[in-house]
Amino acid sequence: MKVLVAVKRVVDYNVKIRVKSDHTGVDLANVKMSMNPFDEIAIEEAVRLKEKGVATEIIAVSCGVTQCQETLRTAMAIGADRAILVETAEELQPLAVAKLLKALIDKEQPGLIILGKQAIDDDCNQTGQMLAALANLPQATFASKVDIADGKATVTREVDGGSETLALTLPAVITTDLRLNEPRYVTLPNIMKAKKKPMDILKPEDLGVDVSPRIKTLKVTEPPKRSAGIMVPDVATLVAKLKNEAKVI
């Protein structure tokens, strides 16, 4: 079974985000970039499926600028067999990414598609669901456990009240939650091997997809700074302040 895994290049989760002075977006100058943590979990899960003998080939896919090649090399160092970069300088929104992935699914015909449930830069949590709708495939989001057997996937997923278990007929789309696994440490020998693995570079036009933005960002601002806490002498004062100053009761 062929497994396709989508990975995204994002600002590293340890970096403190800075907003541009003109409020048009986030300042990316000289900022460390890395693979989206949820996508690392997706790649790790695909590799584990291959180690179990369920998957035969893992294809890592990324959409974006030329530097996304670094993210794909990391995916191949974790264990992906080959990579595809859909290279574009356009700002890619979830619908555009879903359309690009749908075109690649039509081309590669994978038995399973795994994505991180969301990216930590825009927190949209939309691409997996949009992809499943466009490709007319069953989906299981927020997966915390995945079992593949007899052409079916059994997925335990996180819900508000706890968890639920779904049975899906393959091919299917699965999005990963944090509890699914812990990605392995990438070793230097595997990083060197990843440099020799094949990577195809395509353009959106090659796939017949229009990636023009549908949504316009008007303004990006930092959240307001929290004011310092105060000590109150008694409960009556606390209630009065919550009612009259904070206006939360």
Side-chain angles (χ1 to χ4, degrees):
M1 181 179 71
K2 193 185 289 186
V3 180
L4 188 144
V5 185
V7 298
K8 186 177 183 182
R9 178 177 181 264
V10 299
V11 176
D12 190 87
Y13 68 92
N14 287 312
V15 172
K16 187 179 187 306
I17 300 298
R18 299 190 307 272
V19 174
K20 291 180 180 177
S21 57
D22 60 1
H23 299 288
T24 56
V26 172
D27 186 4
L28 299 180
N30 302 314
V31 169
K32 182 185 177 185
M33 308 292 281
S34 60
M35 187 190 299
N36 180 46
F38 290 104
D39 298 341
E40 281 190 78
I41 293 168
I43 281 285
E44 174 66 27
E45 191 62 24
V47 173
R48 292 187 185 191
L49 289 173
K50 188 176 181 184
E51 289 171 346
K52 290 176 185 175
V54 175
T56 55
E57 184 183 26
I58 301 168
I59 309 163
V61 177
S62 191
C63 307
V65 295
T66 306
Q67 291 88 335
C68 290
Q69 291 185 36
E70 301 164 14
T71 308
L72 289 170
R73 292 292 174 198
T74 301
M76 289 190 284
I78 294 172
D81 298 297
R82 60 187 174 96
I84 301 172
L85 170 61
V86 183
E87 189 177 5
T88 176
E90 283 271 9
E91 176 203 347
L92 290 176
Q93 294 172 350
L95 180 58
V97 176
K99 287 180 177 179
L100 291 170
L101 293 176
K102 161 68 166 60
L104 289 172
I105 288 171
D106 292 342
K107 183 180 177 183
E108 296 288 344
Q109 296 293 309
L112 181 65
I113 304 96
I114 311 179
L115 306 86
K117 71 170 184 177
Q118 66 194 78
I120 62 171
D121 53 0
D122 56 22
D123 273 338
C124 281
N125 179 20
Q126 295 173 343
T127 306
Q129 294 88 325
M130 287 177 170
L131 174 61
L134 289 171
N136 195 28
L137 293 175
Q139 63 173 308
T141 54
F142 317 136
S144 58
K145 185 180 179 183
V146 176
D147 290 310
I148 309 288
D150 303 322
K152 291 193 175 181
T154 305
V155 180
T156 303
R157 63 186 296 268
E158 306 288 321
V159 294
D160 290 341
S163 64
E164 69 176 6
T165 302
L166 303 176
L168 295 83
T169 303
L170 298 179
V173 176
I174 295 174
T175 71
T176 62
D177 210 339
L178 284 172
R179 293 178 184 83
L180 181 57
N181 61 52
E182 186 172 336
R184 67 194 66 194
Y185 179 75
V186 180
T187 62
L188 183 59
N190 285 339
I191 292 172
M192 301 307 292
K193 287 177 188 174
K195 291 181 179 180
K196 297 178 181 178
K197 291 183 179 180
M199 182 186 301
D200 295 328
I201 299 177
L202 306 173
K203 299 287 185 185
E205 309 86 71
D206 300 332
L207 299 171
V209 177
D210 176 16
V211 295
S212 303
R214 264 60 173 181
I215 301 169
K216 182 180 179 182
T217 301
L218 300 179
K219 190 177 183 183
V220 177
T221 58
E222 291 187 24
K225 288 184 169 55
R226 293 179 63 178
S227 55
I230 59 170
M231 300 288 288
V232 293
D234 51 46
V235 173
T237 309
L238 172 62
V239 172
K241 285 188 176 294
L242 289 173
K243 186 175 181 181
N244 302 322
E245 295 181 20
K247 300 189 186 299
V248 294
I249 58 173

